[in-house]
Amino acid sequence: MASSPLAPEISLNPLPQADGSCQYTCPTSRTTILTSVNGPLEVRPKDELPSHATIEVIVKPGIGVAGVRETRLSSLIHSTLQSLILTNHHPRTLIQIVAQIVQAEDHTSLPLLLTPLLNCTILSLLIAGIPMRTVGWSVHLAVVQGAKGIKGVEGQVFKLEGGGDDGMETEESEEVVVRNPNSEILSRAKSSHTLTFSKEGDILLIESLECSQGSGGESADGQGWDISDFLKLAEEGKRICCEEGVEIIREALADRKVF
Amino acid sequence: MSSLVVPGQPLGSASAYIPGPGVHIFNGQIIASLVGQVVTTTPPSSSSSSSTNTTTTTTPTPTISVQKPILSTTATEEPNATLLPEVSSTVLCRITRINTRQATASIFSVNDHICGDEFQGVIRVQDVRLTEVDKVKIFNSFRPGDIVRARVISLGDQSNYYLSTAGNELGVIMADSEMGDQMYPINWREMKSTRTGVVEERKVAKPF
Amino acid sequence: MAAKAPDRRRNNPPSHGTTPPVFLSSASSGAVKPKQSSRPPNEIRKIFLRTGLISSVTGSSFLEIAPLKLSISVLGPRPLPRTSSTPFAAQAILTTEVKFAPFASTVRRGYVRDSSERDLGSRLYQALVGAIRRELYPKSRIEVVVTILDSEDEGDDVNTVYMEEGKTTVETKFWDAGRSERALGVVLAGCITAASAALADAGIEMFDLVSGGVATSFVDEVGLKGKGVGDAVSNKLYVRDPAIAPPEGKVPLATCVLGYMAARDEISELWISGKVGTKNGTAEMDELVDEAIAAARSARGVLNEAAKERVQFIVDKTGTTEPLKEESTDVQMTG
Amino acid sequence: MPTLIRQPNSGERQPPPLTFSTSLFRQISPALYLQRHLLNNPPTRPNGRNPSQCRDFTLTTNSLSHAHGSAVVRSGDTAVVCGIRGEILTIAPGDDPSRFESYNGSPTSAIHACGSRGAGGASWGGLVVPNVELSTGCSKKYPLGPPGGLAQTLSDQLHELVNVTKLVSLDSLRIYDGDNDTTSKMKIKGYWSLYIDVLCISLDGNILDAAWYAIVAALKSSKLPFASWNQIEERVFCDPSRYHPISLRQSLPFTTTFALVPVPASAGGEVGEVALLLNDPDSYEEDEACEILTILSTTDLGTAQGDFSQLSLGKLRTRVEKIEKRGGWKLGISQIEDCTQLAASKAARYIHTLAKEQLTPM
Amino acid sequence: MSLDALEIILPGDALPQLSPLLTQQPDQPQDTKPRSLRLGPGLTLSPSTPSTPILPYRYGTLNLTTHTKRPTASILSTPRHYHPSPNDPVLVTLLRTTAEQFMVQLTPYTPPAIIPFENYIINNAGTTASARKSRPNLPIGATIYARVSVVHKHLEAVELSVPGPDYGEVISQKNTSSTPSGQKTKKESQSSSSAAAGGTTGAASLANRSEVTPYILTTSQPMTKLLLAEDTLGKPLLSAVASKVPFEMIVGKNGRVWIDAATQKEVVKVVRCFKEFDEAEAWNDDDGGLVRGREIVGRVCGR
């Protein structure tokens, strides 16, 4: 069903017992996430909110025990979902989201994991029929300096200004943006931007950070990027999420018979 | 301006004063139990019923108490108010859960003072109003999110205070409608939404 | 710190663990002598105590005695946790927590409470529980949380190694039996005094303020040889609020720490460790306890001033008409 | 006490107004109380500051006797103590030290390239280990006990900040064999591992900025003893007489945090909601905010000494190293632009206070 | 956007088809009251965005019924979880009896629902169960067929009611020769199809047999919808099964089906047909599960 090589492989409701579940594999960053959503359930008295549903997000790592990094991932997802889900429909209940990182190149790299986690969670919320205000989609863009030898899937690598031909040949010193890069490209990237937009184009989550290499100290003095570059990138991210992202969702849901 | 006293400081003999708040009695002495100013209030010299039972016929015995001034600022709420709901104190609370037998609420202010923490109280169905107690429906009296003025009728069990709204000036003083717009009271059992004009049933407190 | 299991809820150090730095000082400079405190034995060190610094809790205080710095916060009468199965509590339940900051002592302490911290916590509970009028606050709990930011250097010389022509000897010059009790004693006394100030600041009614006092009995080093335990030792020196290094040529015998209610003249908590002779009944012990009480009484003076100072500040402020904007009272931490 | 009358905005018969004291009104409907403040123009805030004004802060460094470096930062009612302790990491003979050489392979992985996760254990860290402790009775909202969600998120954010900014130069943490003044490639015998422990004394919102400023100030003021490998004892020993500072970046990065509060604004007839940016929110504003925006930026003020505050910040080049925006959907992307201006002015004040503190070391 | 029913609506989509219903039709005479639009499940009012007054909050297809005198719009979708809505027929199990109501289990992992005694009507005369003597003593775990009466997000429990003798406790009619006083067994439910497709007639033949315990099967929401719509969606499967094995069934919208047949073996056969059909998600096929249904029944019921 993956119309373009960039589109993720999505299988809906792989888990029969869960209210809503989804398995999401990003072909380019080779990350696979399995999310299950259950709700509205009975909530523990101490987590109960008088007029809202409590959203609980649990991220389970691929290796080992959930640590500080997983708690941060679940708190980022929780704050994004807080603005998507209509929690006043089911007050004093619990909406529980469990996301298992099935396969990832680097199990602790936040940018590599955040985008697949968000997309997979949104899809399984839709399937579970949890009341939502709107739908969102996330994309991970990496800015790479000197893009020689980056073998990306067709359409994955593009230049910002003109966004012109996304052919493979790129000059040496030129800055290029790679969509949903894998761990190897990310390690050579200058900066990584995880952007999540809602269907109407409102921005839900930004997680952009500098990721050049080096042993720190004075050698890292010149790093950082200008805010105007970021704004251009955000526009591009918005286009990708609002147009392609929503299309992917509609396509995924289309083949499920509804009656 | 009287000087400040420290807990443990004797203030006078127990026979000379009636102990008010902030003091305690220890082998015949009135001892301060708070850091603050000593305040002696003498009851009105006219023979009020309380003074008849004191044996001394001379000046009525003053009550002595120590008051710790509260840092009440508009910017921060009073952090030092160590207030606990006591029996028969009027409290403001927010309804958190309702079922057919009782409404659970969280108390955030006692006698118009904000208390530092929120205590949990329960309004049982038989304490909602004075008249026709058995025909009361909790669902038509309170809704989660309503602000209710109630009176503490007992310390209750270990996690709940027992509250009652039996009284005209007790009940819902502020509520949002089903759609979430503010509502204002039109009579003692109905409130009207400001935006849509929808009427909803509540046990309303008399506004003035 | 040995490579124990990683803490799931915190950032962990590198996998094969790290060890505290060990100092190698050449023998020629000799062990550096800890500077002798010049104050007379019956005088306690200067106490810096201020209350009401944390606005988001009911009561708080900050205490500093030379190296020891600790911050206390009191969370006023709070509701009992809803699901607690405790029966109806007619009076407030007091809970005390004492925690050293990881950087507070020479050897870095972890985040999980060790035995000495739990011990301090229970002793602080004993000292305070009697003084609070708990029957006024039924069905509630009062939490006293102590964070020790900097403490005595009770282990300073432990990790100094002395190199003598190629042979390194690990020789601890100043480790004696009563050292850790003296250090923890000073910390406990500070906690008791500061906790009473915080409780007073929180406006919680108390029978009396509790101040902490420490005293140690020393005896001449030479006089001790050949004497069995318990023999009457004549020239005993009592030092109130002892510093970590014993006075010149003296060896510590016993240390006494107590929580003392000056107005009621009652001891709420007493802890004596070391050697106390019982030759002539409890005379020796009484002397030591009297010294500690004297130390506690002088600490009580500072405590009264600190408690009043905050209320005086409010009285002056509320005396004025314009709504009070509580400006941030900053903390001057002297080095 | 001034009474704020809560008027229903329409309805044919004017119902009796409800009057509450300010603090009661703030307790009953906190969101409305904040909106009432932000709606009058110029918008004011309950704590008396204007929306783009951050709290004034005080800094004291090196006031702890057992830490290699320490800083106390108090910004409004948020007070934070940061202590830095260095410990020795001895490289096992067979082990390859190169994994400590760079700020690890993938940009934000908290773990070094090899063996990132012990079997079944949580992740092992790099050389610089920051941690935040909130269960010190710093606020009624934060229960005692093991670190909860907020403390763990903060610890991870600080770890990521250390990795992203690459503040500490890793080669200043190396321990060589014998005296290392000869810069030839000496055999590396061990590393300094820095434990950065941030204790929150009082919590009133926006603890990330205070914690990061305390870490930068503590690192700037810390001194490590000179360590070298001792052949005889096969161990690393330190010299009590020779201390050296840790070498950091010249242009210091700082974080600035904003809270976005939805305010009803009838823009163009349509009653929509616009988000108002509040700089340096306190805990009340943080609770009411729908979004939190944090910007990590470096502003090189150049060598211009003198009083920083008059510098017109427009011409200074501010480079952004991290943006984190979470929750809500009201932030206009263009609003981030004027956030970087505010970040630059705050950075100037941070550097100014730090310089003043360094000149008068304890 | 054409009103094609199969087009997927996502939460937050604008719904232009509804706007003509909301605004006063220009051609309608002014005096007629504007026909108000009733919103069914899936749609909600969103006052904060006046440009799109009606907001879908679930994905699915738009179901607009304008022919009735009050047009209703809703989003048709089959979430996996049963969301109770008023007067749904449901099969519940009794958890415990309190002073004034029965506590019953409607769906797993949610707070128990309640049947107040005054809603429990035990005979045609309408006498309720509130009087002690007229209250049926239902054993714990008894299956009750009831209807949802009050659902409200603030009410802690969903309120059910037993509107008449056709509802109440479900006892297989066969092995209790004399029915307990006043308690009608549920024999002919509106969805029982035993006599439907030419199988052996009526319940009489079920009367005189050895001990047979009926089976309560938990089915997915789509399967429940299929079983409830006997003559449309459910026709292929039910007719296939009924042709082989006469059986009696009561379907609760909360995803529970009570199945009874002449012998225990037949009960098991019917249960296995339904279970395999559900697990194979045959209701998702284009032919409504006709082919696969028949194949499953053939395999399960043999000859």
Side-chain angles (χ1 to χ4, degrees), chain A residues 13 16 18-19 42 86 88-89 91-92 126 129-135 199-200 250 253 256-259, chain E residues 8 10-13 56-59 76-81 83 109-111 153-154 222 225 233 283-285:
Chain A
N13 264 343
D19 288 347
E42 223 168 332
L86 293 170
N88 48 17
H89 273 249
R92 287 186 320 291
L126 275 172
I130 304 281
M132 290 169 80
R133 196 178 53 74
T134 177
V135 181
K199 182 154 58 68
E200 290 79 21
R250 285 193 196 282
L253 295 176
R256 291 184 55 73
K257 195 165 173 211
V258 171
F259 54 89
Chain E
I8 299 287
L10 286 179
D13 274 0
Y57 60 80
R58 272 206 311 232
Y59 95 91
L76 259 183
S77 74
T78 47
R80 311 232 342 161
H81 203 76
H83 297 294
Y109 307 117
T110 52
K153 59 180 180 180
H154 284 316
K225 263 191 179 164
L233 284 171
W283 32 265
N284 206 5
D285 301 352

Side-chain angles (χ1 to χ4, degrees), chain A residues 28-31 103-108 112-113 181-184:
Chain A
T28 50
S29 71
R30 283 188 288 286
T31 319
Q103 193 269 333
E105 283 183 333
D106 177 353
H107 280 272
T108 56
L112 273 182
L113 299 172
N182 57 26
S183 173
E184 191 271 332

Side-chain angles (χ1 to χ4, degrees), chain D residues 188-267:
Chain D
I188 298 172
K189 284 293 180 183
Y191 282 93
W192 277 104
S193 164
L194 297 180
Y195 289 88
I196 304 178
D197 299 301
V198 179
L199 252 68
C200 172
I201 297 301
S202 162
L203 177 63
D204 183 24
N206 193 6
I207 181 168
L208 183 66
D209 289 7
W212 177 250
Y213 185 49
I215 288 178
V216 172
L219 281 171
K220 201 97 174 84
S221 66
S222 56
K223 297 257 182 307
L224 289 179
F226 169 73
S228 64
W229 178 260
N230 182 307
Q231 272 86 359
I232 309 160
E233 290 290 317
E234 298 283 329
R235 273 175 64 178
V236 173
F237 283 123
C238 302
D239 177 352
S241 57
R242 283 169 59 193
Y243 277 75
H244 61 84
I246 304 173
S247 72
L248 303 176
R249 279 174 56 164
Q250 283 309 323
S251 59
L252 296 175
F254 295 106
T255 60
T256 318
T257 302
F258 302 87
L260 281 95
V261 178
V263 173
S266 55

